[in-house]
Every structure is written in structure tokens, then in C-alpha cells.
Amino acid sequence: MASELVARLQAEHGTEILAYTGAGFAGMLLCYGLAPTTCKDRLSMANSMFWFMAAPALIYYSISATLALRASVDSRWTAAGHHSVEFQRAYVALQIVASCVELIKSGSFQSKIPMLAHHVLSCFCYLGALLTGRMHFFAVLDGCCETTTIFVSFLQMALMEGGGVHEWTKSDPVGKKAHLVNGGLLWLSFVVFRLVLFTVWLVAFVLDLLVLPPHIWDKMTTVELTVNPAVTVFLLILSAGWFNKIHAGLVKALSGKVDKSQ
């Protein structure tokens, strides 16, 4: 059974996922080449540069597919579209790249476990949706959380000494304002596109289950009905932990700005 699923996945999506993966590694290498040699952590800088540029495409595909598939219970559970399929193919491919980078980056393996778990579990759910053609709406709705990636990537670049962005946000008046605005947008995007979004996902999932027609219910697997919501709960908990740090950082930045102005 497992070998049949792998064969199907390879036949229907393998070429595209492989192409996206190759493009992802090429993009990461390009960003590494562009990252200043003066940067203390050049690989992390390249990673942030890459995601800052890659995120808009993922955001476009996920939001457009969510809007296209949201109309009814049937479309949310059984419909698929070009954007939903391409989003999941690209996302799986880029998570493969991200996992490789995460493994070779500096830091203890224990500190990397939450992020690696995020990559692996997300890929598992998306590959399942690609194979069954079901729950694409819920897949791309989760994917809308990538909106926060733009602001996270900018913040990471701003914190890396020697990368150029750090120096710009510390010494240039425009850079200082950009850093503060990015912090505010990061805080807001985390509330809307993670804390609220994942909660809405879970509520929509439960409400749909209560009225799910028999012709859909009979096709659903235990994995789809348990693992998919469990992963979203995991993402919500993980995001809440990250948000605490973001909130503390923004409060600190705003407090410092107020103190200097007095």
C-alpha cells in the first residue's frame, strides 16, 4: 500500500516537486553568494534573504486558493484548483530545502526540533492532500500563515551583525523607522495570520464536520480527520510561543523609543 502511494505521488507530483526543490536550492545558493562575507552567520543571512523573496509567491497562491475554495462544504472538502495544487507542491519542496538548511545551521539539534517538526508535519499533511485531492481548502488556509514570513525574515536580517541590514536599521533614520514598522506589522500579522487564522481553521473544521454529507464522510480517512487538525493545534501552540517573544521584543523597542524621546 505504501509503495503504491509513493508511486502515485511520484507519477502525479514528483516532477513538479523535484523542479521546485531544485529551484529552491539554486535560490538558496544564490542568496548565500549574495550574502555579505562580513556577516557573522552567512548561512542564516542567506536563509532569511531567500524566504523574504520566496514568501510573496506562497502568499499569493495560498490566499487566492483559499478565496476560490471557500464557498461551500463540498468545495472546502473535495475541490482542488491550480493554485491549491501548486502551493502545496512548492511548499513541500521549499520545506525540504528549509529542513536541510536547518540541519546544517549553527545551534544544538534540540533547539531545532520544533522547527523541524513543523516542516515534517506540514509536508506530511500537504502530501496527503495532494494524493487524495481532498481538504485543499484547509491546506491553503493554513498556508496563509506564510504572510508572517516576510516580516520575520526582515527582523532576522536586521538582527544579524555584518549583514548590512543590521547596520542600516541601527544608524540610518529611515532604517530605524523601517525596523519599528516591521516590528509592528510582524506583531499584527502574527495575530491575524497565525493566532486567529489557526483558531478559525479549527472552528471551521468542527462546524463542517457537524454537517458533512455522507458522500464526503465515507471517503475520509482517520489520518485526515485526526492528524490534520492535530498539526494545526501544534502550529497554534508553536505560534503562541513565538508570539510571546515577538510581543516582548516590540514592547522593548517601543519603550526604548519613548525613553529616547523624553
Side-chain angles (χ1 to χ4, degrees), residues 31 38 49 60 74 77 111 135-136 149 164 191 248:
C31 288
T38 54
M49 291 168 60
Y60 168 72
D74 269 61
W77 288 78
S111 67
M135 295 188 72
H136 277 220
T149 301
V191 171

Side-chain angles (χ1 to χ4, degrees), residues 4-227:
E4 291 178 7
L5 290 175
V6 171
R8 258 192 63 206
L9 183 65
Q10 185 175 5
E12 296 174 9
H13 305 285
T15 301
E16 292 80 4
I17 291 176
L18 185 61
Y20 280 128
T21 303
F25 277 116
M28 190 66 71
L29 287 172
L30 176 62
C31 288
Y32 186 81
L34 293 173
T37 55
T38 54
C39 187
K40 290 188 175 181
D41 190 345
R42 197 175 174 192
L43 180 59
S44 293
M45 185 67 181
N47 187 53
S48 297
M49 291 168 60
F50 174 80
W51 282 103
F52 185 78
M53 293 184 289
L58 293 177
I59 295 166
Y60 168 72
Y61 276 120
S62 61
I63 292 179
S64 62
T66 299
L67 294 174
L69 300 175
R70 76 188 191 282
S72 67
V73 173
D74 269 61
S75 65
R76 290 194 292 272
W77 288 78
T78 63
H82 172 71
H83 284 180
S84 69
V85 171
E86 291 307 315
F87 168 79
Q88 292 176 92
R89 287 170 171 172
Y91 187 90
V92 168
L94 295 184
Q95 293 310 296
I96 293 172
V97 177
S99 297
C100 293
V101 172
E102 191 69 29
L103 287 170
I104 62 177
K105 278 169 58 178
S106 59
S108 66
F109 180 77
Q110 187 174 359
S111 67
K112 300 175 182 180
I113 290 176
M115 187 57 72
L116 289 171
H118 167 278
H119 297 331
V120 172
L121 291 172
S122 297
C123 286
F124 177 80
C125 292
Y126 284 152
L127 288 172
L130 286 172
L131 275 172
T132 64
R134 295 189 292 269
M135 295 188 72
H136 277 220
F137 167 79
F138 291 97
V140 293
L141 180 59
D142 263 346
C144 292
C145 74
E146 290 302 320
T147 301
T148 63
T149 301
I150 294 176
F151 309 114
V152 170
S153 298
F154 183 88
L155 176 63
Q156 290 171 336
M157 290 188 287
L159 295 176
M160 295 181 202
E161 294 183 17
V165 181
H166 174 79
E167 290 71 24
W168 179 63
T169 57
K170 287 293 183 181
S171 59
D172 189 282
V174 176
K176 290 179 180 179
K177 290 180 181 178
H179 188 39
L180 191 61
V181 169
N182 182 77
L185 291 174
L186 175 58
W187 187 95
L188 182 62
S189 67
F190 244 78
V191 171
V192 175
F193 289 100
R194 283 187 177 270
L195 302 184
V196 173
L197 184 144
F198 293 144
T199 303
V200 168
W201 191 105
L202 293 167
V203 172
F205 179 84
V206 172
L207 292 178
D208 274 1
L209 276 184
L210 296 176
V211 296
L212 204 62
H215 72 274
I216 298 178
W217 182 266
D218 292 342
K219 296 177 182 177
M220 302 305 299
T221 64
T222 302
V223 172
E224 290 172 298
L225 296 174
T226 57
V227 176

